[in-house]
Amino acid sequence: MLQPRSILLGAGLLAVTAVSHATEGVLDIVAPWEIGSTDPAKAGYVYTRLQISETLVEVDDRGQPEAGLAESWTLSEDRLTWRFRLRPGVQFHDGSPLTAEVAVQALNLALAKPGMLSQAPVAAIAAEGNEVVVRLRSPFAPLPALLAHSSVQILAPASYNEAGEATQVIGTGPYRIEQLQMPQKLTAGVFQDYWGEAPAIERLSYLAAGRGETRALMAESGDADVVFTLDPASRARLQRNAKLAVQAVAIPRTVTLKVNAGHPFLAEPEARRALSLALERTGMAVALLRTPEAGAGQLFPPSMTDWHLSQVSGAERDLQQAKALLAGLGWQANDKGMLSRNGTPFKLTLTTFSDRPELPLLATAIQDQWRELGVELAVNVANSSEIPAGHRDGTLELGLMARNFALVPDPLGTLLQDFGPNGGDWGAMNWHSERLGEILQQLLTATQDQDTAALRREAATILHEQLPVIPVAWYQQTAAVSRQVEGFSMDPFERSYRVSDMRWAQ
């Protein structure tokens, strides 16, 4: 066995780790996300990803709801009452049974806090026999997707204090917590009374390491078996390591340019199309993101199969067509190639933030590419809060940001928030499509057996043609996995690390 060694985890913080091998039976997972709380509303994603806790509804790789702790569900004819039938014989890690009353308690606690469930027009949640009954004030088709969110995981009653805060995580998953050292470390072992198939990996450990370089070094040294979220340079290096397999999957998060469509330079769809055509998306994806396939020619990535327009490419640059579109709007180039109209130069300010380190780099690249178009772009790197603030006070011209369309597996809730009549902090600004609004409302009230694929495609087409936000790049989740591990796969919705599907290589 290799000797323990010190690894730099963050500013001024050292932790001693030891190399784990298959012979020790512990799968070591390293990711950037700290364990900030035991309460599902604050850090529930950590526990669902590690399969410690579970939700009523699960999701497949296409984002479609499937059975979780609820083995089935039905919707009343008036679409106001959902009934979720629980799996029989499920136990929590403390040995207490999962009952409808217990599930209702967990859901009502989640409903009382800011979170995904509060988006639904819930009138009441009650237990009837072995069913959880959710009554709505108005139809809301995405309810199963909301019930798959980590903030509505079902915990045992002993998890909560008198104020309704979860002070410990007593779940129903295949792994139970053995030791929790917030905010950085967690260890868990197999729960012998799990209702499903017993995992092959008997124990796991989770370590939060914020620095990408640290995570990459731990993968290289063997200090970790699975390392999530690799920076582009480390990913390229680790791909050359024969002891590791590097995997990537597109996730439903897109880098977009938020456009103030009320600005006189940006009001016409042709102007927004010209700015989009002037982007060298593939070049930015290769040079800055080190992921050639990350160039986003449309808003929704291929992993969002119900929303992705398979017949559309759109990532290619066409500078000549972009110039022609602007010329058709009255923009003329001077002897230096810079554009003006009626004596007013084409000057804009792009606001972005450095919380995601790739955004300022992309902003600088966009600045150079639009200069070739004749557009003078100033880049303002500020706090992320300046984009919603600029939306609200009307001062924002352009914002470069990353939008996650999988806060719940069905993006409908996010789209309603972003492209409603008044736009959204992270969506449209001074732009509204009545037809898109009609489509979203139809999807919101659709019945379970209704085919909504055509509506989703029409909604995606409107956004692609009108460009209230301009897509730049799709995010990819990346991981380096030891060759000692088999059965690894990545959840495109980042709900689970799927440890129970893994096994040690023979």
Side-chain angles (χ1 to χ4, degrees):
M1 175 184 290
L2 297 176
Q3 294 299 312
R5 63 178 190 159
S6 295
I7 297 289
L8 185 63
L9 297 179
L13 179 62
L14 287 171
V16 177
T17 66
V19 176
S20 291
H21 298 285
T23 53
E24 297 174 327
V26 180
L27 184 83
D28 287 324
I29 300 170
V30 177
W33 303 286
E34 289 189 340
I35 310 167
S37 174
T38 50
D39 194 85
K42 299 174 182 176
Y45 61 90
V46 174
Y47 308 108
T48 51
R49 287 176 180 176
L50 293 171
Q51 296 179 274
I52 290 162
S53 51
E54 298 175 308
T55 50
L56 289 183
V57 179
E58 291 293 329
V59 177
D60 65 18
D61 281 358
R62 296 178 61 250
Q64 298 300 310
E66 60 183 14
L69 291 177
E71 61 180 3
S72 64
W73 50 88
T74 59
L75 177 61
S76 63
E77 287 189 14
D78 63 5
R79 291 173 288 167
L80 295 177
T81 302
W82 293 80
R83 292 179 175 273
F84 296 85
R85 181 173 293 277
L86 298 183
R87 291 184 184 274
V90 176
Q91 292 186 33
F92 290 100
H93 297 159
D94 63 356
S96 61
L98 171 65
T99 65
E101 289 78 10
V102 168
V104 166
Q105 177 192 16
L107 293 176
N108 277 322
L109 287 170
L111 183 62
K113 301 173 184 178
M116 282 296 158
L117 193 55
S118 62
Q119 291 187 10
V122 176
I125 305 175
E128 294 183 9
N130 196 37
E131 292 183 336
V132 173
V133 182
V134 182
R135 293 185 170 86
L136 305 176
R137 294 186 297 273
S138 58
F140 191 81
L143 181 65
L146 263 60
L147 293 177
H149 192 260
S150 62
S151 63
V152 291
Q153 60 191 253
I154 306 300
L155 300 182
S159 300
Y160 301 96
N161 62 17
E162 293 181 358
E165 294 285 331
T167 57
Q168 53 184 326
V169 182
I170 307 173
T172 57
Y175 294 97
R176 63 185 297 178
I177 293 176
E178 294 178 345
Q179 188 175 28
L180 177 60
Q181 297 172 282
M182 293 192 296
Q184 283 191 303
K185 192 169 184 179
L186 180 155
T187 58
V190 165
F191 176 46
Q192 299 297 335
D193 293 320
Y194 180 58
W195 59 266
E197 185 177 345
I201 301 290
E202 295 184 355
R203 297 187 67 229
L204 65 85
S205 73
Y206 175 86
L207 185 67
R211 296 178 57 186
E213 180 184 358
T214 298
R215 296 194 300 276
L217 288 173
M218 295 181 74
E220 283 181 305
S221 66
D223 284 325
D225 298 302
V226 180
V227 172
F228 285 97
T229 311
L230 308 172
D231 64 85
S234 296
R235 178 182 173 184
R237 186 177 77 250
L238 296 180
Q239 284 175 324
R240 299 190 293 269
N241 190 320
K243 296 181 179 180
L244 299 171
V246 176
Q247 295 195 23
V249 64
I251 58 177
R253 183 183 293 124
T254 305
V255 177
T256 63
L257 284 159
K258 176 182 171 73
V259 178
N260 181 353
H263 191 286
F265 299 172
L266 303 169
E268 302 98 338
E270 293 84 359
R272 302 192 293 271
R273 173 65 57 190
L275 293 177
S276 178
L277 286 168
L279 295 176
E280 180 54 84
R281 292 176 172 87
T282 301
M284 289 188 285
V286 171
L288 301 179
L289 305 178
R290 308 287 180 92
T291 309
E293 61 271 26
Q298 58 180 291
L299 190 59
F300 303 111
S303 61
M304 299 180 68
T305 53
D306 288 346
W307 296 86
H308 182 76
L309 300 171
S310 57
Q311 73 279 16
V312 169
S313 55
E316 300 83 4
R317 190 186 201 206
D318 193 334
L319 190 59
Q320 293 308 310
Q321 185 182 353
K323 289 181 176 180
L325 285 171
L326 292 182
L329 296 174
W331 292 98
Q332 296 180 333
N334 61 18
D335 56 357
K336 294 183 180 179
M338 303 308 290
L339 296 173
S340 63
R341 184 170 62 183
N342 301 324
T344 304
F346 201 144
K347 297 174 63 174
L348 295 167
T349 298
L350 170 64
T351 298
T352 191
F353 48 94
S354 59
D355 297 30
R356 296 188 177 277
E358 68 280 359
L359 293 182
L361 300 175
L362 290 169
T364 301
I366 292 169
Q367 182 183 50
D368 292 339
Q369 291 162 21
W370 283 359
R371 186 179 292 114
E372 295 180 54
L373 180 61
V375 174
E376 183 178 344
L377 185 68
V379 174
N380 172 35
V381 181
N383 294 323
S384 59
S385 60
E386 288 204 17
I387 291 179
H391 171 91
R392 292 166 193 166
D393 65 20
T395 59
L396 184 75
E397 295 180 346
L398 294 159
L400 184 67
M401 61 194 191
R403 188 56 165 149
N404 186 354
F405 292 103
L407 295 173
V408 294
D410 189 332
L412 182 56
T414 304
L415 296 178
L416 286 163
Q417 189 177 46
D418 286 357
F419 301 107
N422 300 316
D425 289 351
W426 302 100
M429 182 176 180
N430 295 316
W431 177 91
H432 177 60
S433 163
E434 288 189 10
R435 177 54 186 156
L436 180 62
E438 292 172 358
I439 293 170
L440 296 180
Q441 287 302 316
Q442 289 178 51
L443 291 171
L444 192 65
T445 58
T447 59
Q448 287 178 292
D449 57 355
Q450 184 177 346
D451 185 3
T452 59
L455 288 173
R456 294 171 192 267
R457 284 194 299 271
E458 186 180 353
T461 299
I462 291 171
L463 293 171
H464 180 68
E465 293 177 349
Q466 292 290 313
L467 293 173
V469 297
I470 299 174
V472 177
W474 295 317
Y475 268 87
Q476 289 205 329
Q477 177 59 283
T478 53
V481 185
S482 167
R483 296 285 184 185
Q484 297 183 49
V485 176
E486 294 179 346
F488 175 85
S489 67
M490 278 195 287
D491 179 357
F493 293 94
E494 300 184 282
R495 298 186 68 257
S496 173
Y497 292 146
R498 299 176 171 175
V499 178
S500 63
D501 293 339
M502 299 183 214
R503 59 192 179 276
W504 298 114
Q506 300 300 315

